[in-house]
Amino acid sequence: MKLKILVAAGDGIGPEVTAEAVRILESVAEFGGYDFEFRHAPIGGTAIKVHGSPLPESTLDAALESDAVLLGAVGSNEFNALPPNRRPEAGLLQLRQALGGFANLRPSFAWPALCSNSPLRAEVVNGADILFVRELLGGLYFGEPRSWDREAGSAWNTMRYTRDEVIRVARVAFELARARRNKVTSVDKANVLEVSQLWRATVSEIATQYPDVTLEHQYVDACAMHLMNTPRNFDVVLTENLFGDILSDEAAVITGSLGMLPSATIGGQVNLYEPVHGSAPDIAGKGIANPLGAILTAAMVLRHSAKLEQDAQAVETSVRKVLEQGYRTADLARGETRMTVSTQEMGRLVYQSLNEIIDRRQAMHAV
Ligand code: IPM
Ligand code: MN
């Protein structure tokens, strides 16, 4: 197994959490005898400072030459005054577009050990296991025309989807539902938006090719409420770019912290992996960020790019064990300091737990 991974750690807490994810991938490679090659490149605010651009050409070239890109986070308050197309975030959006992945998978899972961490009642979240499939290359993020006419005091963006864009992401959602609990909830605003009517009609059409999968439609406002009231009713949630951005942050409440959520973007030339959380400038450099979102993102690299399902599960099991042992980063600690650990300590605990699992697995194979 050979895999070229470009690490674009980016801004804020990106480098801290990504370092822990890379350590996990390195140890999986070492134990399994896989050849993972890591290269590093700047993106976001860090890249603006050095190269004057949030996505330098050298970074883009390196990304296109790799098998997978592992991104940390982008965003920095220093650039708040810049227009959207020159901000750190633009680097990530350009990268997403260049790599071509259109299906952004964002699992939101209620870890049993963390159920009491959610502001929702434990019995509401316990057992929730949702996979968001967020369309990543269309909608308001990329639609033209877009502009801000300062003199006229008017600004506009365009929410646009083509049938083909909806078909390809819908297929991913239905396929994934087949490997789960056979249900897709498609989320739109078809009572108001034409683009949502196209979305709904197209998804319904594709659903006929998956008679074993149940399709339900929800308006995005209702979905936002159902996610908090009855998170267990969801399996795969299929939605467009901006709705997916908003709902996946909301779903972090189920898990107890935004710091827990991983993501993988598939369907393009090169898969892109990034935790859902941002650069969190307020806690950057303090060693208190939660690396589990990044580590679970590394598990998605193993699953979707390396096709090492067993190793992906081993990483997820390690995370579960460390949480069951009671270890928490500050975001999960809820004021309790006894078992609160730093970013690096959390990374090391997962690493240790992973080594134990792999050792045991290899011992079993040896007899
Ligand atoms: C996310 C982030 C990005 C997005 C930003 C940083 C451009 O919020 O991955 O959810 O809006 O897609
Ligand atoms: Mn977001």
Side-chain angles (χ1 to χ4, degrees):
M1 174 73 231
K2 192 172 156 53
L3 201 70
K4 276 161 83 176
I5 303 169
L6 181 74
V7 181
D11 307 327
I13 61 169
E16 301 163 50
V17 297
T18 308
E20 303 310 318
V22 169
R23 186 159 313 136
I24 293 298
L25 289 173
E26 280 171 348
S27 63
V28 168
E30 195 189 317
F31 278 103
Y34 317 128
D35 180 8
F36 290 177
E37 179 194 310
F38 297 92
R39 285 173 69 183
H40 295 260
I43 193 167
T46 322
I48 297 179
K49 279 193 214 149
V50 184
H51 300 270
S53 151
L55 181 66
E57 222 161 287
S58 51
T59 299
L60 178 58
D61 289 345
L64 288 167
E65 281 167 20
S66 58
D67 301 308
V69 177
L70 178 61
L71 187 123
V74 295
S76 156
N77 294 330
E78 275 172 74
F79 305 104
N80 280 350
L82 291 179
N85 63 354
R86 288 175 50 211
R87 292 169 60 104
E89 289 85 348
L92 173 57
L93 296 175
Q94 286 162 21
L95 181 65
R96 286 177 181 170
Q97 203 166 27
L99 299 183
F102 53 83
N104 178 223
L105 317 183
R106 298 190 159 188
S108 179
F109 177 69
W111 298 85
L114 291 182
C115 280
S116 57
N117 273 76
S118 172
L120 301 175
R121 283 197 312 279
E123 65 265 29
V124 172
V125 292
N126 196 3
D129 178 5
I130 307 173
L131 177 63
F132 287 87
V133 178
R134 169 188 176 194
E135 200 291 327
L136 206 63
L137 292 184
L140 285 165
Y141 277 67
F142 294 99
E144 296 284 349
R146 58 185 296 162
S147 200
W148 179 7
D149 183 336
R150 280 159 215 269
E151 260 160 52
S154 154
W156 54 95
N157 291 90
T158 302
M159 189 191 266
R160 185 192 299 273
Y161 271 101
T162 65
R163 223 177 89 79
D164 288 350
E165 284 171 331
V166 181
I167 290 175
R168 64 183 187 175
V169 74
R171 287 219 169 97
V172 171
F174 283 102
E175 293 291 339
L176 289 167
R178 274 193 170 154
R180 295 170 51 96
R181 301 189 305 279
N182 294 292
K183 181 173 174 188
V184 170
T185 304
S186 176
V187 178
D188 61 41
K189 189 71 185 172
N191 50 346
V192 177
L193 305 173
E194 284 79 1
V195 63
S196 282
Q197 294 185 324
L198 167 86
W199 180 279
R200 189 174 279 221
T202 309
V203 172
S204 299
E205 193 186 310
I206 295 304
T208 61
Q209 298 163 20
Y210 297 85
D212 49 324
V213 179
T214 307
L215 170 66
E216 88 185 352
H217 299 280
Q218 280 184 11
Y219 296 135
V220 61
D221 49 353
C223 178
M225 180 185 65
H226 295 317
L227 275 171
M228 298 294 97
N229 274 333
T230 50
R232 270 198 304 262
N233 285 355
F234 294 91
D235 180 11
V236 174
V237 175
L238 166 65
T239 191
E240 66 90 45
N241 206 344
L242 182 65
F243 296 163
D245 179 46
I246 298 168
L247 294 178
S248 62
D249 264 37
E250 189 195 7
V253 172
I254 296 163
T255 295
S257 167
L258 191 51
M260 291 299 300
L261 300 190
S263 96
T265 304
I266 63 169
Q269 216 179 320
V270 180
N271 290 349
L272 172 63
Y273 298 87
E274 35 175 331
V276 173
H277 65 70
S279 58
D282 51 324
I283 60 162
K286 294 187 179 163
I288 59 171
N290 183 349
L292 295 179
I295 288 172
L296 293 167
T297 299
M300 296 188 88
V301 174
L302 295 171
R303 172 167 298 126
H304 296 281
S305 282
K307 308 290 178 200
L308 295 169
E309 178 60 31
Q310 210 187 13
D311 291 292
Q313 283 182 20
V315 173
E316 289 161 354
T317 305
S318 312
V319 168
R320 181 172 58 74
K321 292 208 159 148
V322 169
L323 292 173
E324 278 168 2
Q325 285 157 13
Y327 295 105
R328 302 283 183 268
T329 40
D331 56 316
L332 299 170
R334 313 219 111 206
E336 163 70 59
T337 53
R338 214 167 26 94
M339 300 284 272
T340 305
V341 295
S342 69
T343 309
Q344 283 195 0
E345 282 164 337
M346 185 55 104
R348 196 180 48 78
L349 286 160
V350 176
Y351 171 87
Q352 263 176 10
S353 169
L354 177 65
N355 285 4
E356 281 164 24
I357 292 174
I358 296 178
D359 272 349
R360 218 173 307 132
R361 203 169 76 190
Q362 291 185 341
M364 260 165 64
H365 282 294
V367 288

